[in-house]
Amino acid sequence: MERFSNMKQVDLVALFNEMTLDEKIGQLVQLTPDFFEQGGEITGPVKEWELDSEQLSRVGSILGTQKASQVYNIQKEYLEQSRLKIPLLFMADIIHGYETIFPIPLAMASSFDEAIIKEAARLSAHEGTNAGIHVTFSPNADYVKDARWGRVMETNGEDPILSAALTRAFIEGYQGTDLAKDKNSLAACVKHFIGYGAAQAGRDYNTVDISDIEMYQNYLPAFKAAIDAGVKLVMTSFNTIQGIPVSGNKRVIQKTLRQDLNFEGVLISDWASIAELVPHGVAKDGYESAELAFDAGVDIDMMSDSYLSHLNLIVNAENLDKLNESVLRVLNLKNALGLFEDPYRGLEKDSLDKKTIDGLRDSTRKIAERSIVLLKNDGILPLKNGQNVGLIGPKATSQDILGAWSWMGQNDKAISLADGLASKSINLSTLDFSENENITDEYIEKAKKLAKELDIVIIAVGEKSDESGEGSSLVNIELSRKQDRLIQEISKINAKTIVIVFSGRPLALSNINEEARAIIQAWFPGSEGGNALANILMGDANPQAKLPMSFPRSVGQLPNTYAQMSTGRPKKNDNKNEKYISQYLDELNTPLYPFGHGLSYSEFTLEHITLSKETMTRAEAITVGADLKNISHIKGSTVVQLYLQDVVAQVTRPMRELKKWSVETVNAKDEKEIEFIITEEDLAYVHSDLTQRADVGEFKLYLGFDSQSAMYIGSIHLTD
Ligand code: NOJ
């Protein structure tokens, strides 16, 4: 590692040399602002941890401030009190917007579009830096295949290659090209390293047990992409890998992260995850947990007193270099952000003017339109001007549409579906629903009465924001029984029902799939959600988003991914009545809506599909070509997807893996040529020795508009 990578080299070396052991340790500690407020009076958690104000004057970073003035005051007081005046770093969870809230990441991933993610990240950084934040705990690069786990909402979904591309886009958007010069940029912290999404049975913080092949093949690619894109920080996860919690797992940190992925930046623990080595049962007390984490190589201890209280007894002549390395990484980060020149980075910016805020809202609306997935439509949508439309259900007038990681977002500034539809040329009758009420019998009766009189009824249902996200695991991912009943009863009365689902996870929608003539997956669409949905419903925006995570038929299918192995006893269409094959007796193997699925008001076909050749050497490439036709009368966009199967490999490989995709717009009754280039890299996979390489042999290709219906277009062969 370069000792000081940026400007002011001499000053920093001198500064570093002047630091005492305690001052160095302080740089490796991160606390919340409440430790530094209330006029320096020590209260609450400080008392509990027995930290004195001298220790606090050495702490290196703070997480979770809420206002520019708060950052200014803390930094100012800190610099006055601290001996060496090393500025504090301020970090926060800016996950899908700061005050202006974008759709949740899983929703934005439905765009399959790096440009969308990059724009959202850039604009969130702009807002966040105005509040004095330097680092965001984003992106979440967790690989996921279990919708019971509430944190799927903050991921890019179930495909490792798609997630890698979107993770990279997040980092480019947040970090820009020069953190020191660009005061609107944030340093990014990719998380949670590693395996957090594999929490058993989808229960948050639960045990994880994944094989090395699974880890290198599916869990690491998005982290590798982040590191290759220059991400400044990585966060450890709460879970175990091979029985050892990551925050104390030397192998995973030293070998996988530092050596294999070549990460040189700052490694921060997750909230109290060092102290949690004690309840995990791998450390006896705070001293041992600090010892384990330090030895494993965690640089910053987020929100525990492990390092602050014990590291001075743990560091000795033999491991001093290790401490120095960690401190240098933190100082380098501060330097890269330009904090030594400007400890008040971002605070000198004027507060955002109306034009900028309007621009932000405009952007969140457009991004929401690109994130909302049309799951089903028998032609009932888009709505037509002048139609008599009823709007009912708990989400009809709800402003709880921001999603779980929107702590600075204000619900009362969110546009509800009812508000969005109010400006459209339809005759809208809305049945109000007060937030905390349940669906009562009386409500259902009123809704039925309304439904009788109208052309079409929109039923807006789904989760509350806090029903997904951290600590929000579910065993039942269906709509609530009351919501289910509302849909059943209304569709008996009015055959033209459209269901709009707000949720942070794929729900199991089999119960209502038949009844609804159209289903829209709104996710948590953010501040402008209602306007975006209204535009989609009216056809003012043509839906184009695709599912980044399969929607199961039943919770019993989970965990689940489209990238299934064939198994030794594959289920084929023609062995319906066979018993001893890999299947359920009471449900199909397939999801209700597969990965990559999403409808448009346009209709697309792929024709004249060509392969430039059928055989390639390792140095060569094969081009897949096709004409993408829009055979409808409406201009529209779609995502063309290319899947691949390695037919015979040294380890079992999925029957389909997404390798390439392209977001394309085609005018009505028009067509365009599309092209995908396949190289050896696309054919490589992780072998049992954990190296990534391609084997010679046959690879089947599938092209289409989702993971299930993509059609076989031929095979290619790799030769030596
Ligand atoms: C715990 C969460 O797991 C992590 O994602 C988050 O960044 C930290 N808390 C800080 O809020």
Side-chain angles (χ1 to χ4, degrees):
M1 189 180 72
E2 243 179 278
R3 288 180 81 77
F4 289 111
S5 51
N6 211 337
M7 313 157 296
K8 279 205 157 185
Q9 184 136 351
V10 181
D11 293 0
L12 273 183
V13 173
L15 176 72
F16 178 74
N17 288 337
E18 219 190 297
M19 291 173 84
T20 63
L21 177 63
D22 283 340
E23 280 163 342
K24 287 180 180 174
I25 291 169
Q27 289 302 310
L28 309 184
V29 176
Q30 176 164 100
L31 298 174
T32 47
D34 43 323
F35 286 85
F36 300 83
E37 288 170 325
Q38 297 144 8
E41 195 190 334
I42 296 174
T43 56
V46 193
K47 237 186 205 155
E48 216 174 276
W49 289 354
E50 292 171 357
L51 303 180
D52 56 42
S53 45
E54 213 197 308
Q55 277 173 307
L56 289 180
S57 75
R58 297 191 292 263
V59 161
S61 58
I62 292 194
L63 83 154
T65 48
Q66 304 201 359
K67 274 192 268 162
S69 57
Q70 187 186 15
V71 171
Y72 179 82
N73 292 337
I74 294 175
Q75 186 76 289
K76 185 163 172 290
E77 202 171 317
Y78 177 87
L79 290 175
E80 280 163 12
Q81 282 171 19
S82 126
R83 186 180 79 94
L84 292 176
K85 313 210 176 306
I86 300 173
L88 280 164
L89 252 181
F90 289 86
M91 309 196 189
D93 290 284
I94 301 176
I95 313 279
H96 52 112
Y98 188 65
E99 283 178 282
T100 311
I101 303 300
F102 291 90
I104 56 170
L106 191 61
M108 292 197 283
S110 310
S111 70
F112 277 53
D113 191 346
E114 290 102 310
I116 290 282
I117 303 289
K118 201 167 163 178
E119 181 176 335
R122 186 178 58 80
L123 294 171
S124 319
H126 192 150
E127 239 188 10
T129 48
N130 265 55
I133 307 298
H134 307 133
V135 174
T136 175
F137 296 129
S138 171
N140 179 326
D142 292 333
Y143 169 72
V144 290
K145 45 187 178 181
D146 196 332
R148 290 172 294 182
W149 192 55
R151 300 198 78 168
V152 298
M153 55 84 51
E154 52 184 291
T155 73
N156 300 314
E158 74 183 49
D159 184 79
I161 298 183
L162 175 65
S163 177
L166 302 184
T167 298
R168 189 180 310 119
F170 266 113
I171 286 152
E172 288 169 2
Y174 287 134
Q175 295 195 165
T177 48
D178 188 333
L179 283 169
K181 284 206 192 108
D182 179 0
K183 300 286 164 76
N184 291 326
S185 64
L186 281 169
C189 173
V190 69
K191 66 191 188 186
H192 306 84
F193 189 81
I194 184 81
Y196 185 31
Q200 282 179 359
R203 201 182 80 211
D204 206 3
Y205 318 119
N206 199 9
T207 304
V208 164
D209 192 5
I210 49 176
S211 70
D212 278 350
I213 283 207
E214 172 81 334
M215 177 159 95
Y216 277 75
Q217 182 69 52
N218 292 327
Y219 287 80
L220 289 186
F223 287 88
K224 178 170 178 349
I227 291 163
D228 293 348
V231 72
K232 290 289 176 192
L233 299 95
V234 171
M235 186 188 293
T236 60
S237 53
F238 289 121
N239 56 279
T240 52
I241 290 290
Q242 298 204 324
I244 304 175
V246 175
S247 297
N249 192 322
K250 196 166 184 175
R251 174 172 167 261
V252 162
I253 292 174
Q254 298 299 326
K255 162 96 176 59
T256 311
L257 181 67
R258 294 289 184 200
Q259 199 177 309
D260 296 349
L261 299 189
N262 203 15
F263 179 59
E264 296 190 341
V266 172
L267 180 65
I268 185 167
S269 79
D270 200 346
W271 180 289
S273 69
I274 296 184
E276 286 172 15
L277 296 175
V278 176
H280 263 295
V282 296
K284 188 171 75 211
D285 51 24
Y287 178 91
E288 273 193 17
S289 63
E291 200 177 29
L292 264 180
F294 176 66
D295 186 50
V298 180
D299 297 321
I300 297 182
D301 177 3
M302 181 203 293
M303 268 314 276
S304 93
D305 68 335
S306 307
Y307 277 10
L308 204 52
S309 300
H310 307 289
L311 220 46
N312 57 349
L313 301 172
I314 291 165
V315 175
N316 54 39
E318 266 147 50
N319 60 21
L320 183 63
D321 276 356
K322 193 170 196 146
L323 178 85
N324 287 342
E325 285 292 313
S326 289
V327 175
L328 286 168
R329 286 192 196 104
V330 174
L331 294 182
N332 263 330
L333 175 60
K334 293 185 174 184
N335 196 27
L337 282 156
L339 291 186
F340 289 102
E341 288 74 19
D342 178 11
Y344 302 100
R345 181 186 190 273
L347 298 177
E348 76 289 352
K349 288 194 276 171
D350 291 333
S351 53
L352 298 181
D353 56 25
K354 187 169 171 325
K355 202 169 143 232
T356 315
I357 291 173
D358 288 351
L360 258 163
R361 294 216 46 131
D362 225 42
S363 180
T364 56
R365 197 199 64 248
K366 278 193 223 125
I367 290 177
E369 288 166 6
R370 298 283 310 274
S371 307
I372 292 163
V373 188
L374 181 59
L375 293 177
K376 174 178 176 179
N377 182 22
D378 71 353
I380 194 172
L381 285 175
L383 301 175
K384 292 168 197 68
N385 285 345
Q387 272 176 327
N388 298 317
V389 179
L391 176 61
I392 63 169
K395 287 287 178 182
T397 51
S398 173
Q399 289 178 301
D400 175 28
I401 58 169
L402 299 183
W405 276 116
S406 53
W407 53 291
M408 286 298 293
Q410 288 167 271
N411 282 358
D412 60 5
K413 290 196 180 155
I415 306 291
S416 70
L417 178 55
D419 286 344
L421 277 173
S423 61
K424 300 295 183 186
S425 307
I426 49 173
N427 304 317
L428 185 70
S429 313
T430 305
L431 196 56
D432 203 359
F433 192 96
S434 85
E435 235 26 273
N436 299 317
E437 261 175 42
N438 283 320
I439 299 175
T440 55
D441 289 348
E442 195 194 337
Y443 184 85
I444 293 184
E445 286 316 310
K446 273 196 214 154
K448 277 159 78 175
K449 197 157 163 259
L450 188 76
K452 232 179 245 166
E453 294 155 12
L454 299 168
D455 299 338
I456 286 183
V457 186
I458 300 172
I459 313 179
V461 291
E463 300 184 319
K464 294 186 178 138
S465 278
D466 61 5
E467 285 173 337
S468 51
E470 188 179 350
S472 295
S473 301
L474 293 176
V475 291
N476 184 356
I477 57 164
E478 290 172 0
L479 291 171
S480 71
R481 275 164 54 194
K482 287 272 175 62
Q483 296 190 8
D484 197 12
R485 191 177 136 212
L486 178 68
I487 296 167
Q488 305 296 345
E489 301 238 0
I490 296 303
S491 40
K492 270 186 232 148
I493 289 182
N494 189 324
K496 292 187 174 171
T497 54
I498 295 163
V499 173
I500 301 189
V501 181
F502 293 76
S503 68
R505 55 160 61 78
L507 296 178
L509 298 174
S510 299
N511 287 353
I512 58 119
N513 195 45
E514 289 302 310
E515 284 70 18
R517 300 273 302 270
I519 304 178
I520 291 177
Q521 176 63 26
W523 304 111
F524 283 108
S527 303
E528 283 284 315
N531 283 334
L533 276 164
N535 285 346
I536 294 268
L537 283 162
M538 296 304 297
D540 297 338
N542 190 350
Q544 66 179 90
K546 303 279 184 182
L547 293 178
M549 229 185 141
S550 313
F551 272 46
R553 293 175 192 276
S554 153
V555 71
Q557 294 177 313
L558 300 179
N560 184 40
T561 157
Y562 80 92
Q564 299 263 320
M565 304 298 172
S566 129
T567 79
R569 302 218 175 162
K571 182 172 172 64
K572 303 200 178 105
N573 289 335
D574 49 8
N575 57 12
K576 274 195 191 100
N577 297 321
E578 233 176 291
K579 175 98 192 269
Y580 298 103
I581 53 172
S582 184
Q583 67 177 353
Y584 300 104
L585 294 180
D586 58 346
E587 189 49 277
L588 297 173
N589 286 1
T590 53
L592 184 63
Y593 291 111
F595 173 86
H597 168 77
L599 303 172
S600 158
Y601 298 143
S602 310
E603 201 181 328
F604 298 97
T605 60
L606 286 160
E607 291 172 26
H608 307 120
I609 296 164
T610 54
L611 301 181
S612 60
K613 52 186 169 188
E614 283 176 7
T615 302
M616 65 185 253
T617 62
R618 293 183 185 276
E620 290 174 337
I622 285 179
T623 305
V624 177
D627 291 340
L628 171 66
K629 282 194 175 176
N630 179 350
I631 57 172
S632 69
H633 292 280
I634 309 163
K635 179 183 175 184
S637 305
T638 189
V639 183
V640 185
Q641 302 159 41
L642 180 74
Y643 294 85
L644 176 142
Q645 179 190 13
D646 189 342
V647 181
V648 180
Q650 290 177 21
V651 302
T652 57
R653 302 295 307 133
M655 291 183 285
R656 281 172 190 211
E657 291 176 87
L658 180 69
K659 286 292 170 180
K660 306 275 164 180
W661 66 92
S662 177
V663 182
E664 300 288 350
T665 302
V666 192
N667 285 327
K669 292 281 166 195
D670 202 357
E671 62 182 73
K672 75 194 305 192
E673 282 175 29
I674 54 155
E675 226 178 60
F676 294 116
I677 297 170
I678 299 174
T679 65
E680 186 195 5
E681 199 190 326
D682 300 312
L683 310 180
Y685 68 92
V686 176
H687 287 62
S688 48
D689 62 1
L690 303 184
T691 61
Q692 171 112 6
R693 57 197 148 84
D695 299 342
V696 295
E698 184 194 355
F699 298 84
K700 287 185 175 169
L701 299 177
Y702 302 85
L703 191 67
F705 302 108
D706 70 67
S707 58
Q708 210 163 284
S709 67
M711 58 191 167
Y712 174 67
I713 57 162
S715 289
I716 58 173
H717 299 264
L718 179 70
T719 58
D720 267 329

